Amino acid sequence: MGFNSIPGIGRVRFAQLENYFGSMKDAWEAPPAELKHAGLDSAAMRAINHWRPNISPEAEMEKLDRYGVKVLACNAPDYPSRLKEIYDYPPVLYVRGSLLPEDEWCLAVVGTRRASVYGKQVTEEFVTDLAQSKITIVSGLARGIDTVAHRSALAIGGRSLAVFACGLDIVYPGENAKLARSIMEQGALISEYPLGTKPRAENFPRRNRILSGLSLGVLITEAGEASGAMITAHLALEQNREVFAIPGSILSPASRGPNHLIQEGAKLVRDYTEILEELNLTAVARQIEIREILPESETESLLLKQLSAEPTHIDEVCRSSGLPAATVSSTMAMMELKGLVKQVGTMNYALVREARQEYRVTID
């Protein structure tokens, strides 16, 4: 974290230091002559000699604790595995909120800050369906399309990740402070920048590589031809990620970016199912549902095996499970409260299933 606070010390130099010293702590405490032996060039040496005396990792940790920020080094087990695949992955990530295993299935949704009615509408429709299908929505908290994407995911109880181009103690734009708090509750705020880093213009293109790097693909709904969203799309292609584009009017400046991407070979999408099909997220649609209803005890597990989508009388469940009626009755009541089973008629139970037929993300 101390080295991450020094300008110009990135992934390559982190690797040099760790390979030479074995630990970043030893590197931080090493004298200048030893740092030179690690293979650092003169520019890196000057930066370390200038900044290191003024940086206190302990004081920084105290500040992070006050803001509820977790730090993930790139070698940490909970560092996002897909992000680690890109060439220029950030050595350190700062996180407010929670990163969960299901966030592995995420899609970046980005676009113009000056979204049209059409752009807002298609973004809301696509994101709502994707979030209902258990896709985590990643965006940059900017005005326009980004804001619509985050809000649409959160509105139906989905998860969203916002990647900052500044420290996590600064919300930019400020008007999205309430939205950022909601994202923390249903996802996470993420940055590679230390607390106190202001949102400088040069930070945004670098932020975009994290947006695409975290994700299975990038969806562009509306964007100008020379926009940050287009930078994200081109970074996604470099990272071997899928790029999806929603077509728009040839007369609309906001649709020039997606239309151009389609010309270049991005996948034109008219429905969210086309994204899920392209990402191969439809073939094993039952497993995440099964994970969601994982029983909490051996008794629950045994009773669930006796049930199906068809109603079964509790007396039959008692006979087939071999459990006492009182145990079956009380456990069934508890599982009904948890949404695992439902009572259909008098003392008949069935497994809970989604009534709506939809695509759902599952584990390969």
Side-chain angles (χ1 to χ4, degrees):
M1 196 173 57
F3 280 115
N4 195 59
S5 300
I6 299 176
I9 306 299
R11 181 193 65 80
V12 173
R13 289 175 178 131
F14 262 77
Q16 285 179 305
L17 291 168
E18 192 164 34
N19 289 339
Y20 183 82
F21 290 101
S23 80
M24 298 306 289
K25 181 178 184 297
D26 290 343
W28 184 256
E29 296 172 350
E34 228 12 60
L35 290 172
K36 188 174 183 180
H37 290 153
L40 298 183
D41 58 24
S42 57
M45 290 293 301
R46 284 195 300 271
I48 292 172
N49 291 335
H50 175 76
W51 289 97
R52 187 168 55 170
N54 303 312
I55 296 172
S56 168
E58 293 78 11
E60 186 69 12
M61 283 299 297
E62 291 176 5
K63 188 177 177 183
L64 290 167
D65 285 341
R66 288 200 304 272
Y67 280 94
V69 176
K70 181 180 181 181
V71 182
L72 297 179
C74 59
N75 55 4
D78 44 357
Y79 186 96
S81 58
R82 187 167 290 107
L83 184 60
K84 189 71 180 288
E85 295 171 359
I86 71 172
Y87 172 75
D88 192 19
Y89 60 83
V92 172
L93 281 182
Y94 301 88
V95 179
R96 289 183 79 177
S98 59
L99 291 174
L100 301 182
E102 52 261 43
D103 294 330
E104 179 181 348
W105 296 283
C106 61
L107 184 82
V109 180
V110 293
T112 179
R113 288 170 170 80
R114 294 178 291 278
S116 69
V117 173
Y118 166 76
K120 292 175 182 177
Q121 179 184 350
V122 296
T123 301
E124 181 179 354
E125 289 181 2
F126 268 73
V127 168
T128 297
D129 287 331
L130 289 165
Q132 284 178 332
S133 302
K134 302 300 182 183
I135 294 285
T136 296
I137 301 300
V138 183
S139 201
L141 202 73
R143 298 181 182 97
I145 296 298
D146 289 23
T147 295
V148 174
H150 289 302
R151 285 182 175 158
S152 300
L154 299 177
I156 56 94
R159 288 185 57 77
S160 190
L161 309 178
V163 184
F164 280 29
C166 56
L168 294 182
D169 54 339
I170 302 170
V171 176
Y172 180 83
E175 67 206 52
N176 276 346
K178 184 177 179 181
L179 176 58
R181 288 192 294 271
S182 297
I183 293 170
M184 277 193 287
E185 294 171 2
Q186 290 176 230
L189 310 178
I190 300 170
S191 179
E192 66 177 319
Y193 296 104
L195 297 183
T197 304
K198 296 190 181 333
R200 294 185 289 267
E202 62 268 23
N203 293 354
F204 288 90
R206 289 193 57 73
R207 180 276 305 274
N208 293 347
R209 85 191 193 285
I210 300 177
L211 279 171
S212 54
L214 283 168
S215 306
L216 290 161
V218 175
L219 171 63
I220 313 294
T221 57
E222 271 195 330
E225 285 192 273
S227 63
M230 294 293 282
I231 293 174
T232 306
H234 289 120
L235 287 167
L237 292 171
E238 291 176 8
Q239 296 164 351
N240 200 29
R241 305 295 193 252
E242 298 292 339
V243 176
F244 305 97
I246 295 177
S249 168
I250 61 172
L251 303 177
S252 170
S255 289
R256 288 175 186 164
N259 290 346
H260 179 70
L261 287 171
I262 292 167
Q263 273 190 318
E264 289 189 331
K267 182 169 179 62
L268 183 156
V269 288
R270 299 157 297 177
D271 184 82
Y272 80 105
T273 59
E274 295 175 337
I275 295 175
L276 298 184
E277 287 165 358
E278 187 71 20
L279 295 175
N280 197 28
L281 297 177
T282 62
V284 279
R286 296 289 300 152
Q287 292 187 33
I288 201 167
E289 184 177 330
I290 292 170
R291 185 171 68 179
E292 287 174 351
I293 63 169
L294 194 66
E296 295 182 1
S297 68
E298 290 184 9
T299 301
E300 287 188 1
S301 179
L302 178 59
L303 293 181
L304 287 172
K305 290 177 182 177
Q306 317 310 316
L307 299 173
S308 68
E310 295 296 320
T312 303
H313 195 275
I314 194 168
D315 290 344
E316 178 60 33
V317 175
C318 292
R319 282 193 294 272
S320 59
S321 67
L323 295 174
T327 300
V328 173
S329 179
S330 61
T331 306
M332 284 290 200
M334 185 59 66
M335 289 197 296
E336 188 173 14
L337 287 173
K338 291 193 286 188
L340 302 180
V341 302
K342 59 184 175 182
Q343 191 170 169
V344 185
T346 306
M347 304 305 288
N348 285 281
Y349 288 88
L351 289 176
V352 170
R353 287 289 181 264
E354 293 289 337
R356 174 174 177 264
Q357 293 299 314
E358 63 181 3
Y359 288 86
R360 295 173 67 82
V361 180
T362 54
I363 305 169
D364 253 333

